Amino acid sequence: MENKPHNGNIFARIPAHIPDEVFETIVGDDPVKIERIISCGHATPEGHWYDQDRNEWVMVLQGRADILFEGDREAITLTPGDHVHIAAHRRHRVTRTDDKQPTIWLAVHYP
Amino acid sequence: MENKPHNGNIFARIPAHIPDEVFETIVGDDPVKIERIISCGHATPEGHWYDQDRNEWVMVLQGRADILFEGDREAITLTPGDHVHIAAHRRHRVTRTDDKQPTIWLAVHYP
């Protein structure tokens, strides 16, 4: 008989409808936060850039997402397993996420 | 044309032979370390318990692993996507990992 961890599974409990991106804290908050993000066709609003006080390490586990760093000509495409490090205050935006399935991200925010 | 991130893919560059467990720092070290661990049939030596100064959040992304916490009667089984939080100094050991394929773990160590 197997004990399943009560801590959860990153692929579980995906909402059937995702009108807004879902941000769920898995553990921690300050100074370190581990977070699951669920997107479905979402993108950062035109002209808006994320500019974060903390470093962020992010990995896509399902779906697909394109991230553009300010000053770059082309977005980076993340598919399952791809991870990218975003230094604090490195301005970036998500230009596209898969609109056919939920994109599941794991993000670690740290000082 | 797609840019792939130079930061890597968690499923890439798996050694063909894994005589010893592989511990690779992805980013950081102190106080926060994000690490990939690759096991293949490995287990913590009998009678040995991990007792860590930092908290650890760990997720299995491929394969399977069983973790036993000291004082528990049964191990917890982690399969892809399962994650578990291990508080600092909570003694634990890995009683088994998949011996038919590499088990890929993501671990985040933080104060």
Side-chain angles (χ1 to χ4, degrees):
Chain A
M1 197 179 74
E2 291 179 359
N3 270 333
K4 294 304 278 186
H6 64 281
N7 291 267
N9 186 290
I10 200 83
F11 302 110
R13 298 178 301 100
I14 305 297
H17 303 284
I18 307 168
D20 298 309
E21 283 187 306
V22 178
F23 296 85
E24 296 172 337
T25 298
I26 299 175
V27 291
D29 185 7
D30 186 33
V32 175
K33 179 166 69 173
I34 301 176
E35 183 182 48
R36 177 172 78 165
I37 304 167
I38 308 170
S39 314
C40 195
H42 299 89
T44 311
E46 196 67 40
H48 178 80
W49 297 89
Y50 287 110
D51 185 337
Q52 300 169 153
D53 289 336
R54 289 187 279 187
N55 299 297
E56 181 177 2
W57 180 83
V58 70
M59 177 165 59
V60 163
L61 291 164
Q62 176 184 294
R64 172 196 162 128
D66 293 355
I67 295 185
L68 180 67
F69 289 97
E70 192 178 40
D72 283 359
R73 295 181 57 168
E74 290 186 4
I76 284 170
T77 295
L78 301 177
T79 55
D82 287 334
H83 51 81
V84 63
H85 181 257
I86 305 171
H89 298 298
R90 187 170 182 202
R91 285 158 60 94
H92 62 283
R93 52 193 306 273
V94 177
T95 57
R96 183 166 66 152
T97 57
D98 198 331
D99 60 2
K100 297 189 179 56
Q101 64 175 322
T103 291
I104 301 176
W105 312 71
L106 176 76
V108 181
H109 305 267
Y110 64 99
Chain B
M1 199 179 72
E2 292 180 359
N3 270 333
K4 295 304 278 188
H6 64 280
N7 290 269
N9 185 290
I10 200 84
F11 302 111
R13 298 179 299 101
I14 306 296
H17 302 284
I18 307 169
D20 297 310
E21 282 187 306
V22 178
F23 296 84
E24 296 173 337
T25 298
I26 299 177
V27 291
D29 184 7
D30 185 34
V32 176
K33 178 166 70 174
I34 301 175
E35 183 182 50
R36 177 171 78 163
I37 304 167
I38 308 170
S39 314
C40 194
H42 299 90
T44 311
E46 196 67 40
H48 179 80
W49 297 89
Y50 287 110
D51 184 337
Q52 300 169 151
D53 290 337
R54 290 187 278 188
N55 298 298
E56 180 176 4
W57 181 83
V58 70
M59 176 164 58
V60 162
L61 291 164
Q62 176 185 294
R64 171 197 161 127
D66 292 358
I67 294 184
L68 180 68
F69 288 98
E70 192 177 41
D72 282 1
R73 294 181 57 169
E74 289 187 3
I76 285 171
T77 296
L78 302 177
T79 56
D82 287 335
H83 51 81
V84 63
H85 181 258
I86 305 171
H89 297 298
R90 187 169 182 204
R91 286 157 61 94
H92 62 285
R93 51 193 306 275
V94 177
T95 57
R96 184 166 66 154
T97 57
D98 199 330
D99 59 3
K100 297 189 179 56
Q101 65 175 321
T103 291
I104 301 175
W105 313 69
L106 177 75
V108 181
H109 305 268
Y110 65 99

